[in-house]
Amino acid sequence: MRLKKILMAVLLSGFLLPVAAQTREELSETYSGRYDLVVSKLGYAGVGVDTILNQWEQVDSTNVKMLTARFNYYFTKAQSSSVVVKPEKKYLGADPVLTLKDSTGRDVYYYQEVSYDDALFSDAMRYLDKAIEADPLRIDLRFTKVTALMSYEKDSPDMALSYLLRLVDKDASEDCVWVYPGYEIGDDFFKQSMQEYCAAFYTIGTPSSYEAFRTLSERMLMIYPKDAVFITNLGTYDFIVAKDYPKALKYYKKALKIAPDDYSALKNCVLLARRQKDNKLEKKYLEKFAAVAPENERQAAEARLKYLDGQD
């Protein structure tokens, strides 16, 4: 109670200041500081945040920080958490928060799941879109939108994929000079970011997310046809999802021609050969993999090679 009284006193002291005593920019900065203070104590949707945002919006309706704060407020308010029971050892890429045994001795997995109120989520996205419109080269705002959509859509990230594909096309056609406050963006920043989203789609582990993984990788290859990472992605899709082993190996070989020391491609070639029980092929790639693998995997690869040599 004491903390709330202190915070309310801070808020009221600002509201009682004569508007004429400050310019719009000064008022906006005042509300920005007050917002930071309250959020640091009470969170994005804490007591008093909405009041500050209402006042802030009245004096500076296009301020990007205010619009982003509105997004965070509604996005947080939209969420509710519950514990769900699933038979899988992983659910949407996450580990269970608890594992128990049922009456038959089988494992029962409990997961924490976040659900969203549709109306509040819509409000959140509306304000985020306004922030993006106000500063279209802020790539962090666009990534925030993708991440929010993925959280909302869960096992079927169709809207997130659609937005990413438009973002890829924009980056390729307009030669955008993206800005990420607080970070220096290098030449490979956008490609690396898209690979992180590919990995996120893959980790979710559902049919729709695997298709999103494949589709985004294919779109990136249209722009960067000699990028070994995205070529490897397509090999992984054919290996794990489609189970088309010859096609997967073809992609991995293509990636290795471009990047002979590619860790993922080499490791997957080893796993693929093992899956097909092709000892000769596995030995070929184990030798190459051992040369690039970290110490623990290198030792395991060498031990496996010794075992396979004993099988000849």
Side-chain angles (χ1 to χ4, degrees), residues 64-255:
V64 173
K65 182 177 178 180
M66 182 279 296
L67 294 168
T68 306
R70 276 290 194 194
F71 160 77
N72 286 325
Y73 174 80
Y74 284 116
F75 188 67
T76 302
K77 293 283 284 186
Q79 297 180 30
S80 61
S81 180
S82 61
V83 175
V84 296
V85 178
K86 298 289 180 181
E88 302 89 358
K89 290 185 178 180
K90 278 189 175 292
Y91 175 57
L92 301 180
D95 292 321
V97 295
L98 180 66
T99 303
L100 298 174
K101 298 284 187 181
D102 65 12
S103 60
T104 66
R106 291 180 301 181
D107 287 331
V108 179
Y109 304 102
Y110 295 81
Y111 296 88
Q112 188 169 7
E113 184 175 49
V114 176
S115 300
Y116 291 88
D117 178 273
D118 291 340
L120 290 173
F121 181 81
S122 179
D123 286 337
M125 300 310 290
R126 177 165 55 86
Y127 275 101
L128 185 55
D129 284 339
K130 287 183 178 181
I132 292 171
E133 183 179 357
D135 198 346
L137 291 179
R138 279 275 301 274
I139 192 67
D140 59 310
L141 298 177
R142 295 178 181 272
F143 288 169
T144 296
K145 180 170 182 175
V146 176
T147 303
L149 288 171
M150 289 179 67
S151 181
Y152 177 74
E153 294 182 290
K154 296 184 178 66
D155 61 335
S156 185
D158 301 323
M159 290 188 291
L161 173 63
S162 178
Y163 188 76
L164 277 171
L165 294 177
R166 294 197 301 272
L167 192 58
V168 169
D169 291 342
K170 180 178 178 65
D171 179 76
S173 62
E174 300 180 19
D175 194 24
C176 296
V177 182
W178 298 112
V179 176
Y180 199 126
Y183 293 89
E184 183 176 347
I185 294 180
D187 293 339
D188 291 333
F189 173 80
F190 189 83
K191 282 199 299 182
Q192 291 171 352
S193 298
M194 292 304 103
Q195 173 57 13
E196 288 181 12
Y197 280 115
C198 285
F201 286 144
Y202 181 83
T203 300
I204 291 171
T206 64
S208 292
S209 70
Y210 282 139
E211 288 305 313
F213 166 72
R214 177 186 61 81
T215 300
L216 183 56
S217 298
E218 287 178 340
R219 181 62 62 87
M220 290 301 292
L221 276 174
M222 291 174 63
I223 302 166
Y224 305 101
K226 293 185 178 181
D227 191 287
V229 171
F230 297 110
I231 294 172
T232 297
N233 284 356
L234 294 185
T236 300
Y237 176 87
D238 284 320
F239 177 22
I240 303 298
V241 183
K243 302 190 185 308
D244 186 337
Y245 301 144
K247 189 176 179 181
L249 185 59
K250 182 179 178 181
Y251 276 121
Y252 291 144
K253 286 181 176 179
K254 183 177 180 180

Side-chain angles (χ1 to χ4, degrees), residues 279 302-312:
N279 290 352
E302 290 175 348
R304 175 70 176 173
L305 275 170
K306 289 180 180 180
Y307 170 78
L308 291 176
D309 285 339
Q311 299 298 303
D312 291 341

